[in-house]
Structures are given as C-alpha cells and as structure tokens.
C-alpha cells in the first residue's frame, strides 16, 4: 500500500506538472467558456427591436399594375423602380439585397443575388401576401375575415403524460456524456499506454520492476492517470457550469427545463458508476498493451485493437441515442465493453428495471476485476521482455 | 551473511536458460559474476531479486529461505535507464521510496550518496540535460541509495572517466567494509581482477567455474611455467613440447614425468640464455576465454 502510494504520488505529480496537460486543460476550458457564451454573443449580433412587420427592409417591391400597388403598397410600400430591369440592376450592384415582383395577388417573382437555402424574408413576404390576398377575397365574398381567422386559429388544449421517461429531455446529457467519456478514454488510454512504453523504451522499467512489484506499478499508474483524467473533466465541467451560470439569462429556458428533467440523482449515479468502471477497465487494458512494445512509436499499433473495440462501443452508443429501446441495444447494455455507454443511455432515456441495472453493473465489476488481473499479468510479462514486440499469443501460451 | 543458490533452474518455454546453478556469495567481499552476453546472468539476478521465480532450486541466506522483501537490494542494470525528462533528485527519492525507505530516510540517503558521487549540484536538473558521465554517476547513486544489504552492479565502470572510476572504486571498497553483499558483473576483466576475491563464470546457463580467484589461477597454472629468454634465442629445447607465446614470454607445460627442478637443470645444462623462470598464473581474461569462449577457442 505504501509503495502504491509512492507510485501513485510520483505519477500524479509529474502529470500535474506536465505542460501538455496544463495547456490542453486551459485551452479546453477557455473554449468551453466561449462556447457557453454563444447565446450572449448571438444577442449582441442580432438586430435590435422587433423587425417582424418590416418585410421589405433591404428589399424592394415592384408591382405589375397600379391596382396591385394601390392594394398592397400600404403593406409593402411604394416601388422606387419602374421596371424589372432597373430592379435587377440594383440587386446586381448590391444596392439592395433582393426584390419581389408582384404579378397578381397569388403570383410573384423573388429576385436575389445569392440565394440561400431558406430565406426568412421570402417566407415572411409570402405569408403576408397570402394573408392580404385571402382578406381581399373574404371581403369580396362578404365574409368577416376576423371571424374566419378566429375559427382557424382556435387552439387545442392538449396535455401529454409520460409515465416512464421522456427521451427528449435526456438527450442533451446523453450526448454530452458520450462525447466526454469517449475523449477521456481515448486520450488517457493512449497516455497511460505511452507512459508504460516510454518506461520500457528508456529501460527505466528494469529499475522499476526490480524495485517493486509489477502489480503495484500498474495499479499506481492506472489510478494516477485515471484521477488525472477525472480532474481534467472536472475542470471542464466547472468551466461549463461557470459559463452557463454567467450567461444564464440569455439561454432559452427550455434548455434548463430539459437538463433539469433528466438530471435526477439516480440517473447521475448510473452515469457516474458506468463511466468510472468502464474508464478504469479500458485504462488497464491500454496500460498492459503499452507494455508489449519496446519503442514509444509502436504504441499506436499496439493499442489499435482496443481502440477499435472502443470506437465500436462509441458507434453503438450513437445508435443507442436514437433507438434506446432497440433489442440489440438492450443486449449490448450487458456486454461490459459496450455497456459503459449503452446502460447509462438506456437508463437515461427509457425505463430500465433495477434487476437489469444491477446485473449489468455486476458483470461490469467482475469483468473489471478479471481484466485488471489479466492486465497485470500481461504487464508483468511485457515489462520483462525486450527486443521483439510481444504477441498476445505468446502470453497466453505462457499460462500454465 | 552468506547467500547461497542451489540447483537453480529456469526455462522460458522451450529455452532452458539456467541449468542447475549453484552459487555461494559471502558478505564482506566483492563477488565477480562473469559470463558472456546471454549466458544467464541477468536471469539469475532477476530471480534473486524476485522479479520472477525459478522453476526449481533453492535460495538461502545464512541457511534460511531467502526472502528478498526482507533485504534492501540495490541494482545497477547493464541496460541503464531512468526517466530522462524528470529531475534527478525526484527520481532518486522515488526509487529509494519504492525500495521501502521513508521520505526522510530517502532524503538523507540521497544527500549522502549524491555528495559521495559528486552529483549534488544536479539534483534539480533534468536527467537528459546531464553529460553521459554524469548520467552514469546518477545511475550509480541510484544503486547505492537506501544503503542496500545486497548490491548488484552490472558493468558499473562503463562510461566513467578514470577520475570518476577511482571515486567509484573507493566508494565500493569503503562500502564492502560494512558487511554487505556485492555482486559485481563486468566484461572489463582488469577491474574484476583488482576487486574480486571470489568469482563465478556462467556459460550457456551453467556455472563452469567458481571459487577463489587466486586459487583458481594457481590451479589453472599448475604444471605450467612462464619463461623469458635473453638475446640468444635458441629454441631447440621447445621441440616436442606443449607451449604457447604470450607476447615476449613462452608459456610451457611440463611433461608429467618432469619436475620444475629437473626441467630447470636441463635448460641450464643446454646453456639456454634464461632471463626469467616463473610459475605461470593465467590472467582472468585467459581463464574467461578458456571457460566461456567458443569451443574452437578453448585450450
């Protein structure tokens, strides 16, 4: 235990002092702070005041005949252009952004220089034109248009009751969870594997394994790297909270409602339990694979199999976000390497029975213990073997 | 203290690396453990340090089963390696603590040995910023730190300039006075010769020679003479004899029927111009080549 503390302390201290980690944490925190301030930035850049009725600001309208102009200029304004060519020329020169040529009450041409896929201006214009044309027809037929609109727009009183969980509300937390855990495992998994390989590469391993037990070394290293990752995530979460809190007033209230709905204590506990267990499980495997190579530059190929498995877990997780009730997803929530994502997602988005949750957790814990032991064995074997890259096959052959 | 290894065997899959190794190392003297690369030295040292276990055999200390965790062991591996990007002092503290020292003990020991090996001014520097010789001294300090009961040194002199080699030599001689076990492995035979009372040579996993170096020399030189001749080099007396040349000298084996005295009388009778007539004591280098060299080199 004393030696575990020594290894843990040494590893953690050196990671905390690592410029790469400090700088990356600082940059990530700043990016997060900026990202959480986006709603505030958006307010600064959006035009002030209510612009709903000024359909033709920056736009010009040309009427095909005087009766149209008479009927519609109250809404769209009189035309400054005499014909379509002068309107086109003005748009071409960039004097105005776009123009509408009204041929009839139900017939118009929209002219613009660069067309974007969805033009709000066109939508608003068309809406207004349709309304005016409808009013005109109602009046012609002697119908009270106010009455008509009242009937058409009468709201329905609707109420939806969700007995289980509302999938929509868990989405934000779910996506954030997948993203953070994915980054955490890939970054710190590779980091622990590199750290082990570097000790072999520099032959420091020779001194380490003759000074203390391989078990102590790998446990201390995994614990220190694991904690470092959690600290980094904690600092990013803190930056997010600070950013959101400072800009709270500028967020649509719906965001908070969704988060609040999905942030129940039990959901958080499930997320936390599976991410920590899964994270440690992956770290052990990464550390043991790092011990199989003698050169730091070979680390990537050594960890490729576990990274591949993890990417599959990530893809399954993305699928689970859309179909949390799918049969395959249910199965994967009991497979340790995949359940790290899918069980919390299922729990967050749908209703999962306590027995499923407990059995999945138990499988996860047992796998963790089993793989930790296996990793210690591989590490022990790998750390003693220099020269050629050790193959997993050789290790299994060495079991007696 | 007397460390004894008896009938130690170790195989890695089909490769029988150690074959019935028997060794006896006493405290208070430096034990020379010699062997060619890949002979099994590192494997036997690792078993001693409990990195892995032998397949069969026994290791005892003063007759009791040897438990490495009860002894402080210092090790300087042939393949040197420490963290190049970390500060020297921190690493020394780390290794001392890994070997069981408390923080205070580690600090005290580090201060002592870094002064002894003149690296105290580098304690706050990163290892990679030091010259090769100084890095070597850091490695040696690492082995001495925490005052080990058993000190295992593999090629400790490589990379040391003559001045530093002398500093290290003095430290070693001083250290052995404290009733410690020192296992010294090197290919630089002159150092082994000047330090070690007892030696063992391991070849292809077998101990091929073991014992007191002086006695070994005497035994291996038995029946052999070292002759040096003067200007008049009449070599006719060598006809039909077993001999070889060592620079200017002739190393000659006496016939079973001869004695030293009768042979000398013969030479004098023949009027050979004799400058020196000595017992032949082989150098360690010769012994090593004879015992661990390739078969065609064997005498």
């Amino acid at each position: 235990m004393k030696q575990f503390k020594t290894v843990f302390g040494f590893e953690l201290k050196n990671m905390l002092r690592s410029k790469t980690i400090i700088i990356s944490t600082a940059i990530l925190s700043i990016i997060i702070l900026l990202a959480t301030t986006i709603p505030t930035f958006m307010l600064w850049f959006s035009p002030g005041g209510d612009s709903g009725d000024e359909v033709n600001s920056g736009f010009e309208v040309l009427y095909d005949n005087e009766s149209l102009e008479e009927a519609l200029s109250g809404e769209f304004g009189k035309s400054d252009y005499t014909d379509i060519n002068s309107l086109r020329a003005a748009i071409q020169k960039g004097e105005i952004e776009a123009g509408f040529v009204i041929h009839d009450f139900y017939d118009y041409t929209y002219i613009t220089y660069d067309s974007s896929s969805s033009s709000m201006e066109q939508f608003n214009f068309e809406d207004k034109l349709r309304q005016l044309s409808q009013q005109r027809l109602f009046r012609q037929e002697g119908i009270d248009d106010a009455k008509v609109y009242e009937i058409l727009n009468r709201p329905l009183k609707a109420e939806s009751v969700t007995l289980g969980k509302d999938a929509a509300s868990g989405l934000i937390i779910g996506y954030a969870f997948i993203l953070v855990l994915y980054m955490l495992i890939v970054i710190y998994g590779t980091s622990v594997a590199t750290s082990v390989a570097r000790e072999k590469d520099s032959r420091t391993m020779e001194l380490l394994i003759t000074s203390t037990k391989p078990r102590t070394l790998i446990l201390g290293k995994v614990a220190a790297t694991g904690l470092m990752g959690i600290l980094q995530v904690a600092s990013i979460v803190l930056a997010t909270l600070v950013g959101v809190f400072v800009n709270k007033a500028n967020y649509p209230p719906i965001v908070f409602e969704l988060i609040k709905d999905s942030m129940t204590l039990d959901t958080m506990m499930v997320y936390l339990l599976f991410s920590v267990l899964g994270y440690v499980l992956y770290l052990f495997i990464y550390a043991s694979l790092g011990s199989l190579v003698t050169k730091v530059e070979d680390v990537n190929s050594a960890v490729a199999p576990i990274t591949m498995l993890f990417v599959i877990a990530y893809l399954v997780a993305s699928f689970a976000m859309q179909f949390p009730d799918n049969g395959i997803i249910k199965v994967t929530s009991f497979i340790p390497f995949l359940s790290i994502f899918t069980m919390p997602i299922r729990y967050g988005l749908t209703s999962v029975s306590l027995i499923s949750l407990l059995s999945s957790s138990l499988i996860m814990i047992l796998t963790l213990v089993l793989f930790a032991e296996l990793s210690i064995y591989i590490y022990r074997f790998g750390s003693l073997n220099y020269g050629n890259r050790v193959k997993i096959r050789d290790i299994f052959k060495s079991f007696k | 203290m007397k460390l004894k290894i008896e009938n130690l065997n170790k195989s890695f899959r089909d490769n029988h690396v150690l074959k019935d190794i028997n060794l006896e190392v006493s405290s208070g003297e430096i034990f020379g453990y010699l062997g060619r690369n890949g002979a099994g030295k590192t494997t036997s040292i690792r078993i001693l340090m409990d990195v892995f276990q032998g397949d069969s055999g026994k290791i005892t200390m003063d007759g009791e089963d040897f438990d490495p965790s009860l002894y402080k062991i210092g090790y300087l591996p042939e393949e040197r390696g420490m963290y190049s990007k970390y500060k020297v002092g921190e690493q020394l503290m780390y290794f001392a603590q890994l070997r069981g020292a408390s923080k205070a003990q580690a600090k005290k020991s580090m201060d002592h040995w870094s002064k002894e090996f003149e690296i105290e001014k580098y304690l706050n520097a990163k290892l990679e910023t030091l010259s090769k010789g100084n890095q070597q001294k850091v490695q040696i300090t690492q082995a001495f730190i925490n005052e080990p009961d058993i000190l295992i040194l593999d090629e400790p002199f490589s990379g040391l300039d003559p001045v530093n080699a002398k500093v290290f030599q003095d430290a070693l001689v001083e250290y052995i006075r404290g009733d410690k076990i020192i296992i010294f492995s090197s290919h630089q035979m002159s150092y082994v010769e000047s330090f070690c009372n007892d030696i063992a040579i391991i070849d292809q996993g077998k101990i091929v020679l073991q014992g007191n170096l002086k006695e070994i020399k005497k035994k291996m030189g038995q029946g052999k003479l070292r002759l040096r001749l003067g200007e008049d080099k009449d070599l006719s007396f060598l006809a039909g004899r077993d001999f070889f040349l060592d620079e200017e000298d002739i190393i000659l084996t006496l016939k079973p029927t001869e004695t030293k005295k009768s042979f000398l009388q013969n030479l004098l009778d023949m009027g050979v111009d004799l400058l020196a007539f000595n017992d032949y004591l082989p150098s360690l280098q010769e012994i090593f080549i004879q015992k661990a060299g390739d078969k065609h080199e064997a005498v």
Side-chain angles (χ1 to χ4, degrees):
Chain A
M1 192 61 200
K2 188 180 152 218
Q3 283 173 324
F4 168 79
K5 270 193 210 156
T6 305
V7 177
F8 176 80
F10 182 78
E11 293 285 340
L12 189 65
K13 198 168 74 182
N14 281 301
M15 268 189 284
L16 281 172
R17 273 196 309 211
S18 147
K19 287 198 184 81
T20 331
I21 292 179
I22 295 171
I23 292 170
S24 68
T25 311
I27 290 177
L28 274 172
S29 301
I30 290 169
I31 291 174
I32 294 282
L33 273 177
L34 288 176
T36 48
T37 315
I38 285 176
T40 309
F41 287 141
M42 277 163 66
L43 278 186
W44 291 350
F45 290 112
S46 67
D50 186 6
S51 59
D53 287 332
E54 295 169 27
V55 174
N56 56 349
S57 62
F59 299 86
E60 280 297 335
V61 181
L62 183 67
Y63 304 96
D64 266 9
N65 54 59
E66 284 180 9
S67 64
L68 277 172
E69 183 161 4
E70 201 174 315
L72 298 171
S73 59
E75 184 64 37
F76 298 121
K78 286 194 178 299
S79 178
D80 294 341
Y81 298 88
T82 48
D83 58 77
I84 191 161
N85 290 333
S86 57
L87 181 66
R88 274 167 171 275
I91 293 168
Q92 205 113 42
K93 284 182 203 156
E95 288 168 5
I96 52 171
E97 283 177 41
F100 294 94
V101 183
I102 303 176
H103 310 300
D104 197 356
F105 286 100
Y106 280 97
D107 183 6
Y108 75 96
T109 304
Y110 173 55
I111 306 169
T112 183
Y113 193 76
D114 291 320
S115 91
S116 60
S117 57
S118 62
S119 161
M120 275 312 281
E121 286 70 25
Q122 189 185 3
F123 178 81
N124 286 338
F125 172 84
E126 192 173 306
D127 202 40
K128 204 77 201 172
L129 181 63
R130 182 183 292 116
Q131 202 186 344
L132 289 170
S133 305
Q134 282 171 349
Q135 274 175 5
R136 184 176 154 274
L137 286 177
F138 284 141
R139 276 173 202 154
Q140 275 177 4
E141 297 291 331
I143 303 169
D144 180 358
D145 56 288
K147 197 89 188 163
V148 173
Y149 287 121
E150 194 195 313
I151 294 166
L152 285 177
N153 295 331
R154 180 165 181 172
L156 274 172
K157 187 168 174 280
E159 197 179 338
S160 58
V161 179
T162 311
L163 292 176
K165 279 173 181 154
D166 181 6
S169 68
L171 283 177
I172 296 179
I173 293 290
Y175 276 117
F177 159 74
I178 295 180
L179 185 72
V180 170
L181 192 55
Y182 179 78
M183 302 261 287
L184 185 69
I185 291 180
V186 167
I187 293 172
Y188 282 90
T190 318
S191 156
V192 75
T194 312
S195 159
V196 171
R198 187 170 294 127
E199 280 170 358
K200 264 190 94 179
D201 195 355
S202 68
R203 307 274 167 167
T204 315
M205 189 66 97
E206 188 80 25
L207 284 182
L208 292 172
I209 53 167
T210 51
S211 299
T212 188
K213 296 273 166 217
R215 175 181 291 270
T216 315
L217 289 172
I218 188 171
L219 286 177
K221 204 177 255 296
V222 165
T225 312
L227 182 64
M228 187 64 232
I230 290 171
L231 285 178
Q232 196 173 26
V233 168
S235 70
I236 289 165
V237 168
L238 192 70
T240 314
L241 291 178
V242 169
V244 171
F245 187 76
V246 168
N247 299 288
K248 202 175 169 186
N250 301 326
Y251 273 86
I254 181 92
V255 174
F256 294 109
E257 276 164 33
L258 285 176
I259 293 176
K260 215 173 103 191
D261 282 353
S262 59
M263 259 212 194
T264 55
L265 185 67
D266 59 324
T267 316
M268 288 300 106
M269 292 303 286
V270 173
Y271 273 117
L272 204 64
L273 176 75
F274 277 83
S275 32
V276 170
L277 290 178
Y279 174 48
V280 176
L281 171 66
Y282 274 100
L283 282 187
F284 266 114
I285 297 172
Y286 270 100
S288 65
L289 291 179
S291 74
L292 297 184
V293 292
T294 315
K295 293 256 164 271
V296 175
E297 51 268 34
D298 295 335
V299 167
N300 282 337
S301 62
V303 300
I306 189 67
T307 305
M308 199 105 79
L309 177 65
F310 186 56
V311 168
I312 291 171
Y314 175 75
L315 293 176
V316 172
S318 313
F319 180 71
M321 287 302 291
Q322 288 160 29
F323 309 100
D325 256 338
N326 184 290
I328 299 171
I329 297 304
K330 282 184 181 163
V331 174
T332 61
S333 67
F334 294 94
I335 303 172
F337 293 95
L338 308 177
S339 65
I340 167 178
F341 287 125
T342 47
M343 185 43 99
I345 289 171
R346 274 191 63 205
Y347 192 85
L349 302 186
T350 68
S351 298
V352 178
S353 70
L354 188 64
I355 198 94
S356 301
L357 185 67
L358 287 180
S359 46
S360 175
S361 315
L362 193 66
I363 294 173
M364 185 67 136
I365 292 168
L366 291 178
T367 314
L368 174 59
V369 172
L370 182 77
F371 271 81
E373 284 300 327
L374 184 68
S375 301
I376 292 168
Y377 188 85
I378 295 176
Y379 179 82
R380 218 171 106 81
F381 190 94
S383 58
L384 294 171
N385 281 276
Y386 286 94
N388 292 337
R389 184 177 153 190
V390 184
K391 295 196 176 73
I392 294 279
R393 206 173 47 229
D394 301 334
I395 295 171
F396 286 112
K397 273 187 194 163
S398 77
F399 276 116
K400 280 182 185 169
Chain B
M1 290 189 291
K2 188 163 261 182
L3 182 71
K4 216 169 168 183
I5 298 177
E6 289 169 274
N7 301 318
L8 183 66
N9 279 281
K10 178 73 186 170
S11 296
F12 292 110
R13 292 171 61 195
D14 304 329
N15 191 8
H16 198 171
V17 184
L18 298 180
K19 299 162 190 163
D20 284 325
I21 297 284
N22 286 290
L23 283 177
E24 214 177 296
V25 188
S26 302
S27 58
E29 52 192 55
I30 303 173
F31 180 80
Y33 192 31
L34 313 176
R36 298 180 65 183
N37 299 324
K41 274 180 303 180
T42 307
T43 305
S44 41
I45 288 171
R46 280 177 171 179
I47 291 175
L48 189 66
M49 300 183 78
D50 204 26
V51 174
F52 41 66
Q53 296 189 332
D55 300 335
S56 65
K58 211 166 115 180
I59 304 179
T60 56
M61 180 70 97
D62 297 329
E64 305 271 317
D65 275 346
F66 176 63
D67 179 358
S69 65
L70 299 178
Y71 296 88
K72 292 187 278 182
I73 304 180
Y75 181 39
L76 176 70
E78 185 180 4
E79 295 274 11
R80 307 283 198 264
M82 285 173 75
Y83 295 102
S84 58
K85 297 207 179 293
Y86 296 166
K87 286 179 183 169
V88 170
E90 279 170 13
Q91 304 193 51
L92 292 174
M93 290 284 289
Y94 180 49
F95 286 114
Q97 284 175 276
L98 276 187
R99 290 174 196 154
S102 70
K103 208 168 176 178
Q105 287 166 336
K107 175 83 175 62
K108 199 175 155 210
S109 184
M110 178 180 78
D111 289 345
H112 171 73
W113 289 109
S114 56
K115 202 171 165 198
E116 179 86 26
F117 294 117
E118 300 162 353
I119 55 156
E120 69 264 49
K121 57 175 175 283
Y122 305 120
L123 291 179
N124 269 323
K126 285 184 183 174
L127 185 66
E128 62 184 358
T129 62
L130 270 53
S131 71
K132 208 168 172 194
N134 282 328
Q135 290 194 20
Q136 192 68 2
K137 288 202 279 182
V138 171
Q139 298 274 359
I140 291 172
T141 310
Q142 166 278 127
F144 278 83
I145 209 161
N146 205 16
E147 289 73 31
D149 306 310
I150 303 171
L151 181 59
I152 302 170
L153 304 165
D154 202 345
E155 289 294 355
F157 285 98
S158 76
L160 289 185
D161 63 43
V163 177
N164 284 324
K166 180 77 175 66
V167 171
F168 172 62
Q169 217 164 333
D170 293 345
L172 208 55
V173 169
E174 176 66 32
Y175 196 68
I176 197 69
R177 287 194 194 137
D179 197 36
K180 310 281 187 180
I181 285 181
I182 300 185
I183 298 175
F184 178 93
S185 176
S186 177
H187 294 142
Q188 287 168 282
M189 297 299 163
S190 55
Y191 282 119
V192 181
E193 253 176 324
S194 63
F195 277 144
C196 303
N197 299 327
D198 289 342
I199 62 151
I201 297 179
I202 181 170
D203 184 43
Q204 295 177 26
K206 275 187 192 156
I207 299 290
V208 288
L209 186 74
Q210 189 180 185
N212 182 281
L213 185 56
K214 276 186 192 145
E215 282 168 20
I216 289 172
K217 283 186 171 187
K218 217 165 150 186
K219 200 173 159 199
M220 288 186 74
Q222 212 160 33
K224 289 197 177 85
L225 296 170
R226 178 182 289 273
L227 309 177
R228 185 168 294 178
L229 304 182
E231 292 292 304
D232 176 22
K233 286 206 165 50
D234 176 11
L235 299 175
S236 56
F237 72 93
L238 288 173
R241 288 192 168 272
D242 185 6
F243 73 97
F244 64 91
L245 297 177
D246 180 21
E247 294 181 4
E248 283 181 48
D249 297 348
I250 298 162
I251 314 295
L252 177 137
T253 310
L254 291 175
K255 289 178 182 164
T257 50
E258 283 172 329
T259 62
K260 253 193 292 186
K261 204 174 164 187
S262 65
F263 178 64
L264 178 60
Q265 192 60 58
N266 268 345
L267 289 186
L268 294 175
D269 293 347
M270 286 163 78
V272 175
D273 182 11
L274 203 55
L275 287 186
F277 181 92
N278 289 317
D279 280 338
Y280 166 66
L281 289 179
S283 69
L284 185 56
Q285 173 118 351
E286 285 164 326
I287 297 172
F288 185 80
I289 290 173
Q290 187 176 333
K291 292 292 177 183
D294 288 333
K295 289 296 161 254
H296 64 267
E297 285 172 4
V299 179

